[in-house]
Amino acid sequence: MPKIGMEPVRRKALVDAALRVIGDQGTLSVTMSDIARTAGVSPALAHHYFGSKEQLLIATIRSLLAQLRDDAVAALQAAATPRERLSALIRVSFRAEQFAPETIAAWLAFYSEAQRSEDVRRLLVIYARRLRSNLLASLRLLCAFDDAERIAEGAAAMIDGLYIRQSLRSAPISIEASIALTEDYVNAHLRATDGGSSPSP
Amino acid sequence: MPKIGMEPVRRKALVDAALRVIGDQGTLSVTMSDIARTAGVSPALAHHYFGSKEQLLIATIRSLLAQLRDDAVAALQAAATPRERLSALIRVSFRAEQFAPETIAAWLAFYSEAQRSEDVRRLLVIYARRLRSNLLASLRLLCAFDDAERIAEGAAAMIDGLYIRQSLRSAPISIEASIALTEDYVNAHLRATDGGSSPSP
DNA sequence: TATTTTTGATTGACTCATCAATCAACAAAA
DNA sequence: TTTTGTTGATTGATGAGTCAATCAAAAATA
């Protein structure tokens, strides 16, 4: 069995397994054994490649973040106008995989961990900043500077809030309804702050 | 030392200690010893009164919820018009204690736990439902039925979202700014859905 | 080509620490 | 003396991290 060049393969398998196990159990208190078993290797190997559970978790978050970034980049490239880019960002946030119960459970677990681990916190801050600045870039072309800041802040909060509410699975909101709520928010404010399409000078 | 009638005193001390320790450490993976020490008793006593860690945690969430409910009731009673009641609900959600980092960290930990414990989940659903129905009761008097549903959903999401974003402590938003964002949302939509003050028939 | 050496991949078995839960015992009030 | 409050000591389980040993492919050598 021992073929050369296994390292990247195992690393990926372990990261994917970690995400799955964490999503299923809804907590970071999963054992290295669980993760390793899901990845089809021994617990010792997980330690061999990642050194510690913490490092494996961090790699897992990085992987989630990278996927989210790639999705956003792709969606933005396919959009032509600022308004379309705005909608693309909203749509990406509610992608089916991202909005799946296990993914949301994993995100929640990471947010909770961020209270303790500075490394985890820093990674989540990157996500928050990126979402905000992406929204801002489009909004600045659609309304006054100050309004753009406020709307971006509000839209980001609404997106995150829809996620957390989804995690309780009582009266779950559909993906389309979530997108509609966020779009409505943006529309109402773009309309309220000026005629509808005159960007700041 | 053993004075009679200690049970309620100890229970409260343990629940309060649990909330504090959980908030400080940002996780439910705190030890019974930590909690007991903070409450000034032995770990064995915590088990004596609560039977298990799970039960103590549940009592802790109940206590948080009860306080939130009492705050809401008080705020609602002090408000006269539907519009005032709406603002009162928003203001209560962002109470200083509720918005404190430790409280938010505790909430986050509970949400995460809800993925595993059906009991915890049920309690959090109660909170979500209560917030929604409180908002709805006021909104129904201010706009059409369908609009009320959507605005309530959106406002609740925004409130929860502002909480979760606060937990990262990057670019923290002030209490007043959070209230303003939520008020703006409600105002914009009340304005958009009809002239401004004609309730549904 | 055949043989030896090196090296990466992999694991079972073990250590060490932590923690929830239990229990027997004791102290003071009633 | 019965009841209530309280604890120290102990147990049993669990889980992260370590380590020495094994295995097979690749590289070097003859």
Side-chain angles (χ1 to χ4, degrees), chain A residues 24-29 101 104-105 108-109 111-116 118 121 124-125 127-129 131-132 150-158 160-162 164-165 167-171 173 181 184-186 188-189 191-192, chain B residues 24-29 101 104-105 108-109 111-116 118 121 124-125 127-129 131-132 150-158 160-162 164-165 167-171 173 181 184-186 188-189 191-192:
Chain A
D24 281 347
Q25 297 193 214
T27 177
L28 296 200
S29 294
I104 294 181
L108 255 171
Y111 266 88
S112 187
E113 179 68 13
Q115 308 302 309
R116 260 154 295 138
E118 183 57 28
R121 197 182 78 85
L124 293 188
V125 166
Y127 152 76
R129 276 219 248 279
L131 176 56
R132 187 175 180 284
R150 278 201 357 262
I151 300 176
E153 205 68 62
M158 178 157 290
D160 287 359
L162 286 168
I164 214 182
R165 301 213 118 218
S167 81
L168 290 184
R169 298 189 303 275
S170 89
I173 312 177
L181 267 176
D184 279 357
Y185 169 74
V186 171
H189 280 258
R191 221 180 300 126
Chain B
D24 281 347
Q25 297 193 212
T27 176
L28 296 199
S29 293
I104 294 181
L108 219 41
Y111 265 88
S112 187
E113 179 67 14
Q115 308 300 309
R116 260 152 297 138
E118 183 57 28
R121 197 181 79 84
L124 292 188
V125 167
Y127 152 76
R129 277 218 248 280
L131 176 55
R132 187 175 179 284
R150 280 204 353 266
I151 300 177
E153 205 67 62
M158 179 157 290
D160 286 1
L162 286 168
I164 217 185
R165 301 213 118 219
S167 80
L168 290 183
R169 298 190 302 275
S170 88
I173 312 176
L181 267 176
D184 278 358
Y185 169 75
V186 170
H189 280 258
R191 221 180 300 126

Side-chain angles (χ1 to χ4, degrees), chain B:
Chain B
M1 245 205 264
K3 272 219 284 263
I4 191 178
M6 288 314 280
E7 174 154 359
V9 177
R10 296 304 190 202
R11 286 192 107 98
K12 181 168 187 327
L14 283 164
V15 162
D16 290 350
L19 187 56
R20 224 178 100 203
V21 174
I22 291 168
D24 281 347
Q25 297 193 212
T27 176
L28 296 199
S29 293
V30 295
T31 69
M32 289 295 262
S33 298
D34 283 340
I35 297 173
R37 193 178 326 114
T38 303
V41 299
S42 76
L45 196 67
H47 274 98
H48 174 65
Y49 282 127
F50 286 95
S52 73
K53 185 182 171 183
E54 167 103 10
Q55 286 307 308
L56 172 53
L57 293 182
I58 287 179
T60 305
I61 302 179
R62 261 193 232 285
S63 147
L64 241 192
L65 241 56
Q67 203 210 314
L68 214 53
R69 186 198 51 216
D70 292 348
D71 284 358
V73 167
L76 284 174
Q77 278 176 343
T81 70
R83 190 62 189 76
E84 277 174 24
R85 275 198 284 280
L86 200 51
S87 287
L89 285 170
I90 294 173
R91 224 177 309 116
V92 158
S93 293
F94 294 110
R95 268 270 166 80
E97 325 136 70
Q98 286 299 323
F99 217 50
E102 309 84 39
T103 311
I104 294 181
W107 275 104
L108 219 41
F110 290 138
Y111 265 88
S112 187
E113 179 67 14
Q115 308 300 309
R116 260 152 297 138
S117 160
E118 183 57 28
D119 288 329
V120 171
R121 197 181 79 84
R122 204 174 312 127
L123 287 172
L124 292 188
V125 167
I126 289 174
Y127 152 76
R129 277 218 248 280
R130 202 158 61 199
L131 176 55
R132 187 175 179 284
S133 84
N134 276 340
L135 290 169
L136 213 43
S138 297
L139 282 166
R140 279 195 182 134
L141 302 172
L142 295 167
C143 65
F145 192 92
D146 286 358
D147 293 327
E149 301 259 355
R150 280 204 353 266
I151 300 177
E153 205 67 62
M158 179 157 290
I159 290 172
D160 286 1
L162 286 168
Y163 264 82
I164 217 185
R165 301 213 118 219
Q166 194 73 1
S167 80
L168 290 183
R169 298 190 302 275
S170 88
I173 312 176
S174 72
I175 289 182
E176 304 83 53
S178 298
I179 293 177
L181 267 176
T182 313
E183 287 277 351
D184 278 358
Y185 169 75
V186 170
N187 284 332
H189 280 258
L190 283 179
R191 221 180 300 126
T193 58
D194 72 29
S197 63
S198 59
S200 72

Side-chain angles (χ1 to χ4, degrees), chain A residues 90 94 155-156 158-159 162 177-187:
Chain A
I90 294 173
F94 295 110
M158 178 157 290
I159 290 172
L162 286 168
S178 298
I179 293 177
L181 267 176
T182 313
E183 286 278 351
D184 279 357
Y185 169 74
V186 171
N187 283 332

Side-chain angles (χ1 to χ4, degrees), chain A residues 70-81:
Chain A
D70 292 348
D71 285 359
V73 168
L76 284 175
Q77 277 176 343
T81 70

